[in-house]
Amino acid sequence: ETGVTQTPRHLVMGMTNKKSLKCEQHLGHNAMYWYKQSAKKPLELMFVYSLEERVENNSVPSRFSPECPNSSHLFLHLHTLQPEDSALYLCASSQGRGNTIYFGEGSWLTVV
Amino acid sequence: ELKVEQNPLFLSMQEGKNYTIYCNYSTTSDRLYWYRQDPGKSLESLFVLLSNGAVKQEGRLMASLDTKARLSTLHITAAVHDLSATYFCAVDREYGNKLVFGAGTILRVKS
């Protein structure tokens, strides 16, 4: 059982919908991440939050909007996505640098 | 820009055989991670390598890091079917665990 839980596990949404992905970590970590995994590209880092402050925004389109209300929770708000945004979105957390980064099981997103 | 290359991208091997997966990266870094991913599952941490010359072993897997050559290897000894998965290396781009992943190596172990 992972210490990082993501919901929903599967999501199908239309291009005009607004939805959110949720991530919760139970490990007491101080950093959380969103990664995107698609068939065509290696795992891509999207956002990094450290101590609830966004420290990385990796040229991600504004239709993806992250939110980190506290050190245990991370959201990814989705708005007017494109079919090419269909992918597995992985949340992760860690404590400090050089330590293991733990991944959640991911949210499979399909945009129709 | 940091680039991480793995090879091979696909590896089919017989049970009992040995093989090595290579991970090269383009800029200086002293932190490298290996992960395993089963189909439809998340990434499972295998090793964290934090210094030049670091070597870690777990079961039939052994990972090493040569920061001067910008190379890490994942060696598989006497492969078994349960090792079939996709293996990723990832390099820490800068302070803050900003990992850049390789494309992954799909490993299939045949009986």
Side-chain angles (χ1 to χ4, degrees):
Chain A
E1 180 180 334
T2 178
V4 181
T5 56
Q6 292 186 238
T7 56
R9 295 294 314 281
H10 299 271
L11 177 62
V12 179
M13 61 185 289
M15 289 190 285
T16 58
N17 291 160
K18 289 184 181 180
K19 297 285 183 183
S20 297
L21 305 180
K22 179 183 175 182
C23 176
E24 183 175 1
Q25 59 98 356
H26 314 277
L27 302 168
H29 290 166
N30 61 6
M32 297 186 76
Y33 314 79
W34 280 115
Y35 279 84
K36 176 183 178 182
Q37 187 176 29
S38 60
K40 298 180 181 178
K41 293 184 179 181
L43 270 154
E44 301 173 86
L45 177 63
M46 300 176 71
F47 301 104
V48 180
Y49 276 84
S50 177
L51 299 173
E52 303 158 37
E53 179 184 351
R54 190 190 311 177
V55 296
E56 177 86 355
N57 181 344
N58 221 8
S59 302
V60 179
S62 59
R63 56 186 184 268
F64 294 91
S65 174
E67 179 189 0
C68 186
N70 55 62
S71 59
S72 299
H73 293 86
L74 184 65
F75 296 88
L76 187 62
H77 303 301
L78 315 170
H79 175 52
T80 60
L81 296 191
Q82 303 298 310
E84 60 264 29
D85 296 323
S86 299
L88 176 66
Y89 289 85
L90 290 162
C91 174
S93 72
S94 70
Q95 179 68 25
R97 185 176 184 234
N99 294 315
T100 300
I101 298 174
Y102 293 88
F103 284 83
E105 295 202 332
S107 294
W108 288 95
L109 173 66
T110 303
V111 181
V112 298
Chain B
E1 180 188 352
L2 172 60
K3 294 186 179 180
V4 181
E5 293 186 354
Q6 285 183 239
N7 70 84
L9 296 182
F10 181 77
L11 177 56
S12 179
M13 54 191 300
Q14 295 285 338
E15 278 191 329
K17 298 292 187 182
N18 304 333
Y19 210 84
T20 301
I21 299 171
Y22 297 89
C23 176
N24 291 89
Y25 53 98
S26 60
T27 63
T28 301
S29 176
D30 58 359
R31 281 160 172 76
L32 190 139
Y33 302 74
W34 283 97
Y35 284 89
R36 167 183 172 146
Q37 186 177 35
D38 292 293
K41 300 290 186 180
S42 187
L43 280 78
E44 174 190 353
S45 177
L46 295 174
F47 302 107
V48 180
L49 303 170
L50 300 178
S51 62
N52 186 40
V55 177
K56 291 194 174 180
Q57 182 163 5
E58 181 73 32
R60 301 175 186 274
L61 301 177
M62 183 174 71
S64 66
L65 177 62
D66 181 344
T67 58
K68 294 179 180 178
R70 300 176 187 167
L71 170 68
S72 179
T73 60
L74 181 65
H75 188 72
I76 303 155
T77 302
V80 293
H81 181 72
D82 287 350
L83 290 179
S84 296
T86 301
Y87 292 85
F88 293 93
C89 66
V91 179
D92 194 354
R93 176 162 57 88
E94 59 185 77
Y95 188 88
N97 280 349
K98 297 173 185 176
L99 300 188
V100 177
F101 279 80
T105 297
I106 300 173
L107 173 66
R108 292 292 176 262
V109 181
K110 300 182 291 185
S111 303

